[in-house]
Amino acid sequence: MNIYDASVPVFTHFLRSLSVILKKAEAHCAARKIDPAVILGARLYPDMFALTRQVQIASDAAKGAGARLAGIAVPSWPDEEKSFDELQARIAKTIAFLASLKPEQFADAETREIALKAGGRDLKFSGAAYLDTWAKPNFFFHVTTAYAILRHNGIELGKPDFLAGGQ
Amino acid sequence: MNIYDASVPVFTHFLRSLSVILKKAEAHCAARKIDPAVILGARLYPDMFALTRQVQIASDAAKGAGARLAGIAVPSWPDEEKSFDELQARIAKTIAFLASLKPEQFADAETREIALKAGGRDLKFSGAAYLDTWAKPNFFFHVTTAYAILRHNGIELGKPDFLAGGQ
């Protein structure tokens, strides 16, 4: 195992799943004449993030991990998506960013120190611990919560949509 | 990175998080005089699994991955939990099973073929692909869905409960 294979292709696979899940949600809105804004703003509890924000954070988790493990600055993207099309573009941009990273950039990433701020705290990890106990769990948390919001709102999805990587 | 470090300690960490999350749910039930069975049977949509089943499947994903990557038979445990205490025991049993596995058993696991049946299909993976695109995503999917069910029912949890590994 190497940390490139454990990160870039995995994030890409599940971003593709997320893309398919959102396409099904958009089609559901069109078929039932549901205002897409209703679904994009849906949340499981008043103080949880809505669907759009779940997708943005999943994107952030993937690009943050890719950049930090490659040893480059994390790109900063505004969170301005307001439609399914714009969320699809955000996902595509995230996948393209990951595709721009070269395995060689990850050569010392397993042991390189990764420092970040979260919730006002300074966190430090080895690259491997960052990926396995922070970046990927966060990523899957938000992809799964997006899925859960959609299922809760009646969109017909199944586990294969989550697992299949858009295949 | 090696596949033992990317699997056993990661599953253990997030099983401990799941344990803490369920303890908070149980305390919430006691404080509000909610029948625990209501929360244990809660689900986000009629054809989704209830909380108890989410925990059982998270346990199955962890023990299945540990066993398959160690090259031993996957232990079969009945899904009979009916209380928070029994779910805690299931989680503890899963953690103990993972702790019984030795890193040496994972020596050839990255490239060893892992075959399993899912949804009536025969699936084959390398150990690394099995862990990264099947076992861990499934595990995080069910831990996160358990969290989402509880948040949706008003239990006060935060992302740190998910990330902290019981610390």
Side-chain angles (χ1 to χ4, degrees), chain B residues 36-91:
Chain B
V38 173
I39 299 298
L40 293 166
R43 62 188 85 223
L44 292 173
Y45 202 68
D47 67 351
M48 289 181 81
F49 289 128
L51 177 64
T52 293
R53 188 84 192 104
Q54 301 289 348
V55 175
Q56 290 163 342
I57 302 177
S59 158
D60 285 346
K63 77 171 160 61
R68 289 190 182 102
L69 294 173
I72 64 174
V74 180
S76 178
W77 298 341
D79 293 318
E80 295 172 342
E81 290 81 8
K82 299 217 178 322
S83 66
F84 281 110
D85 277 354
E86 289 174 6
L87 287 181
Q88 293 289 351
R90 172 75 173 251
I91 293 170

